[in-house]
Amino acid sequence: MLITGNIDVLVVTETKLDDSFPSAQFFIDGFSAPYRLDRNKRGGGVLIYVREDISSKQLSKHTFKHDIEGIFLELNLNKYKLLVLGTYHPPNQDNQYYLDNISNSLDLYLRDYDRFMLIGDFNIMDSDQCFSDFALQYDAKNIVKEPTCFKSISNPSTIDLIVTNTPRSFWNTKAFRNSLSDFHSLVTTVLNIKYIKPKPKEVAYRNYKHFNLVNFQRDLLTVFSSGCFDYETFEKMFLSTLNLHAPLKKKIIRGNHAPYFNTNIRKAIMKRNELHTKFNKTKNDADKGNFRRQRKLVSKLVKREKRNYYHNLDNKVILDNKNFWKQIKSSFSDKVICGQKITLVEDNNIISEDLHQAEVFKTFFDKAVDRLDIQENRFLLNIEEEDQGDIESIISKFKYHPSILQIQQKVSIHEPFEFRQVGEEEVLKQLKSMDIKKATTFQNIPCKALRDNAEVCTNVLTDIINNELTRKFTFPDKLKEADITPIFKKDRIKKKDATSVENYRPVSVLPSTSKIFERIMQDQISGYIVGKLSPYLCGYRKGYSAQHALISLIEHWRAALDKKGYAGAVLMDLSKAFDCINHELLIAKLHAYGFGIGALEVIKSYLANRKQRVKINTSFSSWSDLVTGVPQGSVLGPLLFNIYLNDLFWINEFTEVCNLADDTTLYSSDVDLKTLIRNLEHDSLLAIEWFESNYMKLNTDKCHLLIAGKRSEHIYAKIGNDNIWESKEERLLGVTIDKRLKFDTHITGLCKMAHNKLSALIRYSGILSFEKRRTLMKSFVESQFSYSPLTWMFHDRNLEHKINRVHERALRCVYLDDISPFEELLKKDNSYSIHHRNIQTMAIEMYKVKNNLGPSILDNIFELNTHSRPGLRTSSEFSRPRVNTVHYGKDSLQYFGSVIWDIVPRDIKNSDNINSFKKHIRNWSPDECPCRLCQVYLHGVGYINIV
């Protein structure tokens, strides 16, 4: 199905929604994933597509009976709110029964909506008495007058209806014969409401037209020579000088501004509009011809300039060019809504003004932690004297806290940690490494300006940093003011309501200079704390990733299932984990880890007096204070979060922890199922107690249980006060894990997303050069399979065929080759299949383990064979476990990784460093791959290699 054009809402009915049908949604240009209902497997069903830039939500106040098919939606068209019902009425169902159920539902919704539209295959004539009574009840009318069903050619009927209580708002209702249905016409109508054109945007920018870097640096050195002793003075001096050489200016651009529009196009459009106005007045054929010729010229200019714009984009920065993403990223990525105006609905009122929205978001974000109602357990605190709020009082207050006692028991302190002074070389290095594309707060020092003038600013900033961190023991207040942007939280499974403030998360932007301060602090803290962190803490650590956390869990499961045992995991969900961190308890924990008083004073200052405001376009809310949590969007915040969470990994007795950031999963295995459940319940209770004592909130409604192993009964576990029943599969750290470790759902999902991105790439292939097509293919199609590939690389041949089919389509799109087989396309691209890339990735991990470059979490999985003897089976460099099964034994990283490492050429194994190894291994493919996907299976014989 391919649908393009200015269609706002598309309703598809009387279509069997089988497994092959959802692929059609990826070929519908400009629409989000459909709202879907499939109750009648024999032929019925409803799909509703809504254009992606129109605010909509599915309504669930009332659900139909199981035999009534319909979906209620709310459409927000500026300030025009419309209730829409897409429905299908099976012909064998009683008409009155159907309309009565529709009426009962409609009555509930009309309390909140003045206007409604019912659209679908009613299988009822509007002249039928039951329908006339229904329409009369709601003062509604069917606006479809032409025949729509031609099962009887001699007597076609009108049974595909559009029923509304505002018929004058609809015009040009037509029925078109088409090839999509054997008997039914395609019914269309136009909703005639007054749209307000996008308002012109006011953009603030720095005018670098007459900027001279040498003159600017000369003036900057002059103002710095007068003395600069704190950061606030430095910022004022820098910005005042910059304003003289590159003054802040504002300009007005169109609300639907396109980056490829230029003066010639604008002049042509103005001429077209002028001719159109003249033709409307004269109705002269000559004026009509002039207008049409000018209209064709505008279209030609737009197409030409659009092609030139994309062709001239620098291929090295194509993925970072903001103008480029404003045009096409929404087609490639489902994580960003580009150019969509936020529309909120609160208390049945539509909020569209930027300033009002900013205040609504500010209030919601400020109360996020308060709504969790976290209670303080005062029995864990030492409250013997009045709390003075200083470091000594904080340490005394928490000296009997279980986390502090646990840390003191586990950690030995040789010398207290204090921030040391930094040299100009270190500050210069940080300034030179700044990413100039990173955003900064409104009217603050741009990252590019800091980097370009690094040599001029280095000595001044070095003195300020040393003075603040090692003498005054403070963090500058000016660097603690954040601008917050609300970002809609998309969910592939559950379609969230974009009009609800609850479905947005805050993204913080901090001043550019704060990153210099924080990176220096982070480097010093990391060097001290790294040896004290748990190896299972995989988030925000160099050399660690989600893949390592998942490998630890899945390999543990495979080893147990290979021995016919049982494995299980409890997936825990924390609410607002980063925002809930208690500042005083964090200070006390840092002291327990060995931080000195001076360093604690700096951290306390870093956390205190933080302010934030919400930014919507160019409107800002009022400032608010942050009293808990680590600052999101900061450099130092994730490290402090890891330190705060670290002692959680020391309390479990019978389980291990799979963790990445705020995702925490307890897992274990046992030969006895009851023992496994008991162990999971026991350690889950310990974790819940830890969360409560550390001011965190476990969301038990989103906790899940996975149990693997052969059995007949359905299992549940008592997690806290709730019984959690096992799931067939769950999504953990971005990977969908099922009880059999087959990964069918996950890989199928990857293929669907890749096909979706590929369809968008195909739409733009006509205006993109070969280099850009290939870059986008690598970044958005192939990259779908690059996330944690070692966790799901063992799968069956059907899934391998799906992956290769996506890869093949992508290569055909890039090389415009519809003839060559897949293997020839790979040679043309000088690349390898996804499966062979996964084998290369495995070899890289084995090299890291062998040379002690990988995370210690893998040491228990890949063990070096210290007793290898040449010529024997044990000559492998890595220990190879004895296995009982193919799926859980041989198809494990512990076993198969050893096999792969043995066939890697010795000259590649002996590479001097990891970069050299990666370079060579990416050009290597095994001649005789030992995996099941590369072998032929003969019945009665088994898998054999074909050389």
Side-chain angles (χ1 to χ4, degrees):
M1 181 181 293
L2 174 62
I3 296 177
T4 60
N6 297 323
I7 299 176
D8 293 338
V9 180
L10 174 67
V11 180
V12 183
T13 62
E14 202 181 8
T15 303
K16 183 175 181 181
L17 308 182
D18 55 24
D19 292 337
S20 64
F21 190 83
S23 62
Q25 73 189 55
F26 302 129
F27 299 94
I28 298 183
D29 190 10
F31 288 84
S32 299
Y35 300 94
R36 172 174 176 160
L37 174 71
D38 182 16
R39 288 199 176 121
N40 186 356
K41 296 296 184 182
R42 294 171 295 177
V46 178
L47 284 175
I48 302 181
Y49 291 86
V50 180
R51 206 173 70 193
E52 60 186 3
D53 60 343
I54 293 178
S55 178
S56 64
K57 66 177 178 180
Q58 184 171 348
L59 303 176
S60 56
K61 179 188 294 185
H62 174 74
T63 56
F64 290 110
K65 292 184 178 180
H66 71 282
D67 54 349
I68 302 296
E69 301 184 23
I71 302 175
F72 273 109
L73 296 184
E74 175 190 290
L75 295 183
N76 285 296
L77 307 170
N78 197 14
K79 292 188 176 182
Y80 191 100
K81 192 159 62 172
L82 180 67
L83 176 68
V84 178
L85 169 66
T87 183
Y88 171 73
H89 173 218
N92 59 350
Q93 189 177 66
D94 180 73
N95 292 346
Q96 191 63 53
Y97 173 80
Y98 167 76
L99 291 174
D100 286 345
N101 279 276
I102 295 294
S103 179
N104 292 337
S105 301
L106 198 58
D107 287 339
L108 292 176
Y109 286 114
L110 288 182
R111 300 169 187 170
D112 301 323
Y113 301 90
D114 297 327
R115 309 172 185 88
F116 68 82
M117 178 177 70
L118 316 180
I119 183 170
D121 185 357
F122 283 73
N123 274 307
I124 303 174
M125 299 284 289
D126 61 359
S127 58
D128 291 354
Q129 186 60 46
C130 59
F131 181 85
S132 299
D133 294 340
F134 172 84
L136 182 63
Q137 180 179 349
Y138 295 101
D139 193 23
K141 183 180 179 180
N142 168 44
I143 60 176
V144 181
K145 300 303 179 184
E146 301 178 25
T148 62
C149 181
F150 293 84
K151 286 186 178 181
S152 174
I153 301 298
S154 60
N155 186 26
S157 58
T158 304
I159 58 176
D160 305 286
L161 310 179
I162 300 178
V163 184
T164 176
N165 63 342
T166 56
R168 293 185 179 181
S169 297
F170 296 83
W171 56 278
N172 203 26
T173 304
K174 299 288 185 181
F176 300 92
R177 297 300 303 273
N178 60 85
S179 59
L180 296 178
S181 174
D182 293 333
F183 308 108
H184 290 265
S185 296
L186 177 66
V187 182
T188 65
T189 190
V190 176
L191 176 58
N192 182 20
I193 64 173
K194 183 179 180 181
Y195 279 97
I196 299 176
K197 289 179 62 176
K199 293 181 179 180
K201 299 178 182 178
E202 186 179 68
V203 179
Y205 69 101
R206 288 196 177 275
N207 185 7
Y208 286 94
K209 184 176 182 179
H210 304 291
F211 182 81
N212 184 289
L213 181 61
V214 175
N215 293 338
F216 172 72
Q217 291 182 347
R218 181 197 62 210
D219 292 349
L220 200 60
L221 286 170
T222 302
V223 297
F224 283 164
S225 63
S226 62
C228 183
F229 306 106
D230 56 37
Y231 174 75
E232 188 169 352
T233 305
F234 168 81
E235 183 180 293
K236 288 180 179 179
M237 289 180 172
F238 193 104
L239 287 176
S240 61
T241 308
L242 184 61
N243 289 336
L244 292 175
H245 291 262
L248 274 172
K249 289 192 174 183
K250 294 182 179 180
K251 64 179 178 179
I252 305 296
I253 63 173
R254 294 166 55 100
N256 56 351
H257 172 74
Y260 49 81
F261 263 49
N262 56 27
T263 304
N264 292 333
I265 294 178
R266 293 188 179 94
K267 288 182 178 180
I269 290 175
M270 291 173 64
K271 182 66 175 177
R272 180 201 64 186
N273 295 342
E274 179 184 335
L275 293 174
H276 185 238
T277 302
K278 184 177 180 180
F279 165 65
N280 285 338
K281 289 181 179 179
T282 64
K283 300 298 181 182
N284 186 290
D285 289 342
D287 292 335
K288 182 179 180 180
N290 293 334
F291 162 66
R292 287 188 170 181
R293 283 190 291 272
Q294 186 66 21
R295 186 174 62 182
K296 289 181 180 179
L297 175 62
V298 169
S299 178
K300 182 179 179 180
L301 284 174
V302 169
K303 290 180 180 178
R304 185 183 68 188
E305 294 302 326
K306 187 176 182 181
R307 182 184 298 273
N308 291 338
Y309 171 77
Y310 290 121
H311 179 75
N312 294 328
L313 281 178
D314 185 357
N315 203 51
K316 294 180 181 179
V317 298
I318 187 173
L319 301 182
D320 298 315
N321 188 290
K322 292 182 180 179
N323 290 331
F324 181 78
W325 288 131
K326 286 178 182 178
Q327 294 303 308
I328 69 171
K329 186 169 184 178
S330 59
S331 299
F332 286 92
S333 175
D334 54 6
K335 296 181 180 179
V336 176
I337 303 176
C338 295
Q340 179 175 347
K341 179 177 174 58
I342 296 175
T343 301
L344 299 179
V345 177
E346 189 174 58
D347 297 330
N348 208 31
N349 295 319
I350 296 178
I351 303 173
S352 56
E353 295 80 7
D354 291 347
L355 184 58
H356 191 180
Q357 288 181 358
E359 290 295 338
V360 171
F361 277 117
K362 176 232 176 188
T363 301
F364 177 78
F365 293 148
D366 287 350
K367 297 181 179 179
V369 176
D370 294 339
R371 284 193 297 272
L372 299 178
D373 192 26
I374 298 175
Q375 302 296 322
E376 183 176 59
N377 189 346
R378 298 182 65 83
F379 293 102
L380 301 178
L381 307 179
N382 176 40
I383 310 177
E384 298 178 349
E385 55 187 35
E386 184 178 354
D387 187 2
Q388 301 294 326
D390 56 6
I391 297 298
E392 288 76 10
S393 298
I394 293 173
I395 295 170
S396 175
K397 179 180 179 180
F398 289 94
K399 68 178 180 179
Y400 300 127
H401 191 279
S403 288
I404 303 301
L405 298 177
Q406 183 75 256
I407 296 170
Q408 291 174 343
Q409 180 182 349
K410 291 283 186 177
V411 176
S412 58
I413 303 171
H414 302 290
E415 184 177 350
F417 169 80
E418 295 287 357
F419 288 107
R420 58 174 175 78
Q421 291 196 354
V422 295
E424 292 185 3
E425 298 81 5
E426 188 173 352
V427 176
L428 180 62
K429 178 182 177 182
Q430 295 294 347
L431 287 169
K432 285 289 189 181
S433 63
M434 290 189 72
D435 185 353
I436 62 174
K437 295 182 178 64
K438 288 293 184 181
T440 186
T441 50
F442 184 66
Q443 292 187 351
N444 207 284
I445 302 176
C447 293
K448 186 178 186 303
L450 270 179
R451 195 188 72 173
D452 291 348
N453 299 279
E455 289 83 0
V456 178
C457 299
T458 294
N459 62 335
V460 179
L461 279 177
T462 302
D463 291 340
I464 294 173
I465 291 172
N466 288 330
N467 186 49
E468 296 281 358
L469 299 185
T470 63
R471 300 187 190 100
K472 296 168 60 178
F473 303 114
T474 58
F475 192 89
D477 286 342
K478 287 287 290 184
L479 298 180
K480 295 186 284 188
E481 297 175 351
D483 289 342
I484 307 296
T485 302
I487 300 296
F488 180 60
K489 298 182 291 187
K490 278 198 169 184
D491 193 323
R492 298 188 188 98
I493 300 174
K494 191 181 297 182
K495 202 169 182 70
K496 293 188 175 181
D497 178 13
T499 65
S500 175
V501 67
E502 297 178 356
N503 293 325
Y504 289 81
R505 62 183 178 88
V507 174
S508 300
V509 175
L510 291 164
S512 56
T513 320
S514 69
K515 296 175 175 59
I516 306 299
F517 277 75
E518 292 188 50
R519 286 198 181 99
I520 289 172
M521 295 171 64
Q522 182 194 44
D523 290 345
Q524 296 188 22
I525 294 175
S526 296
Y528 172 79
I529 202 70
V530 63
K532 300 174 175 59
L533 297 179
S534 168
Y536 294 95
L537 192 66
C538 294
Y540 311 116
R541 299 179 68 182
K542 186 177 181 180
Y544 286 73
S545 67
Q547 179 169 254
H548 297 122
L550 289 168
I551 286 175
S552 178
L553 181 149
I554 291 172
E555 288 298 294
H556 184 101
W557 276 30
R558 284 186 175 129
L561 297 174
D562 184 62
K563 298 178 176 62
K564 298 183 178 180
Y566 299 92
V570 177
L571 286 69
M572 295 185 165
D573 181 80
L574 294 174
S575 299
K576 305 290 182 183
F578 278 79
D579 299 326
C580 290
I581 290 181
N582 184 279
H583 291 173
E584 290 188 340
L585 180 55
L586 174 59
I587 294 296
K589 286 189 177 187
L590 291 172
H591 177 262
Y593 280 113
F595 279 61
I597 300 299
L600 295 178
E601 289 285 1
V602 175
I603 300 297
K604 183 173 180 290
S605 174
Y606 171 80
L607 297 170
N609 299 324
R610 285 201 165 264
K611 296 182 180 297
Q612 67 180 23
R613 61 181 178 180
V614 177
K615 176 180 179 291
I616 305 290
N617 295 323
T618 57
S619 298
F620 294 87
S621 71
S622 55
W623 291 99
S624 58
D625 296 322
L626 289 176
V627 295
T628 61
V630 293
Q632 296 193 41
S634 63
V635 175
L636 191 57
L639 176 57
L640 296 178
F641 179 84
N642 276 352
I643 297 173
Y644 191 87
L645 197 70
N646 189 54
D647 59 286
L648 169 64
F649 297 84
W650 295 332
I651 65 169
N652 50 307
E653 298 177 4
F654 305 108
T655 62
E656 302 292 346
V657 181
C658 173
N659 169 267
L660 187 83
D662 57 345
D663 286 318
T664 301
T665 297
L666 305 181
Y667 65 91
S668 185
S669 62
D670 202 279
V671 294
D672 180 65
L673 181 59
K674 292 183 178 180
T675 302
L676 170 64
I677 297 298
R678 190 163 52 247
N679 291 342
L680 290 174
E681 290 177 336
H682 177 273
D683 280 11
S684 294
L685 183 60
L686 294 179
I688 291 173
E689 292 176 351
W690 187 94
F691 294 141
E692 291 177 351
S693 63
N694 283 266
Y695 304 94
M696 289 186 168
K697 186 76 171 182
L698 180 68
N699 189 349
T700 54
D701 292 337
K702 294 185 179 180
C703 289
H704 302 285
L705 175 68
L706 280 175
I707 301 293
K710 290 185 178 181
R711 65 195 187 285
S712 57
E713 68 272 28
H714 199 52
I715 303 298
Y716 73 88
K718 188 175 180 62
I719 308 300
N721 297 323
D722 300 315
N723 292 330
I724 309 295
W725 287 91
E726 65 171 320
S727 305
K728 292 183 179 180
E729 59 186 23
E730 288 296 338
R731 190 171 179 83
L732 175 63
L733 304 185
V735 176
T736 303
I737 302 175
D738 58 79
K739 298 189 294 185
R740 300 180 302 157
L741 298 182
K742 293 285 188 179
F743 300 101
D744 294 29
T745 301
H746 180 73
I747 295 175
T748 301
L750 293 179
C751 292
K752 285 183 178 180
M753 288 188 289
H755 275 300
N756 191 5
K757 306 297 187 294
L758 182 56
S759 298
L761 176 59
I762 291 172
R763 290 200 298 271
Y764 284 95
S765 60
I767 60 174
L768 296 173
S769 64
F770 165 76
E771 291 80 8
K772 292 177 176 58
R773 290 199 304 271
R774 190 171 187 271
T775 300
L776 289 172
M777 185 267 288
K778 298 288 183 182
S779 300
F780 288 98
V781 180
E782 290 185 1
S783 65
Q784 295 291 331
F785 305 97
S786 63
Y787 178 78
S788 193
L790 300 188
T791 61
W792 51 264
M793 68 174 294
F794 299 109
H795 50 260
D796 59 36
R797 294 169 187 260
N798 289 332
L799 294 174
E800 179 68 9
H801 176 73
K802 288 184 178 181
I803 295 173
N804 289 339
R805 174 59 182 152
V806 177
H807 198 181
E808 181 181 346
R809 282 189 65 212
L811 291 173
R812 294 194 189 283
C813 173
V814 171
Y815 289 93
L816 305 178
D817 185 342
D818 297 328
I819 301 175
S820 301
F822 182 42
E823 292 73 15
E824 291 296 325
L825 291 170
L826 288 173
K827 291 180 180 178
K828 186 181 293 189
D829 191 57
N830 193 27
S831 60
Y832 296 92
S833 67
I834 302 298
H835 170 63
H836 282 152
R837 293 182 193 182
N838 293 344
I839 291 177
Q840 294 168 354
T841 301
M842 176 181 289
I844 292 173
E845 290 297 331
M846 303 298 289
Y847 179 88
K848 290 179 181 178
V849 173
K850 183 175 183 296
N851 294 277
N852 296 318
L853 300 175
S856 56
I857 193 175
L858 300 183
D859 291 345
N860 295 330
I861 298 174
F862 304 111
E863 297 181 2
L864 288 170
N865 190 354
T866 57
H867 304 290
S868 61
R869 297 173 62 187
L872 300 179
R873 181 180 181 277
T874 56
S875 62
S876 173
E877 292 188 54
F878 286 90
S879 297
R880 193 174 302 171
R882 294 181 178 275
V883 297
N884 301 310
T885 64
V886 173
H887 179 56
Y888 299 120
K890 289 188 175 181
D891 283 356
S892 66
L893 296 181
Q894 187 176 15
Y895 183 93
F896 190 67
S898 172
V899 174
I900 291 299
W901 184 254
D902 288 346
I903 63 176
V904 173
R906 186 168 297 277
D907 59 330
I908 298 180
K909 289 182 184 179
N910 295 332
S911 298
D912 295 334
N913 52 62
I914 184 62
N915 292 328
S916 176
F917 182 83
K918 287 180 179 180
K919 177 181 177 181
H920 290 95
I921 205 68
R922 291 303 186 192
N923 295 314
W924 169 80
S925 179
D927 296 329
E928 300 179 20
C929 181
C931 76
R932 288 188 294 122
L933 296 177
C934 299
Q935 294 176 327
V936 175
Y937 180 80
L938 296 179
H939 183 70
V941 178
Y943 291 100
I944 61 173
N945 282 322
I946 300 296
V947 182

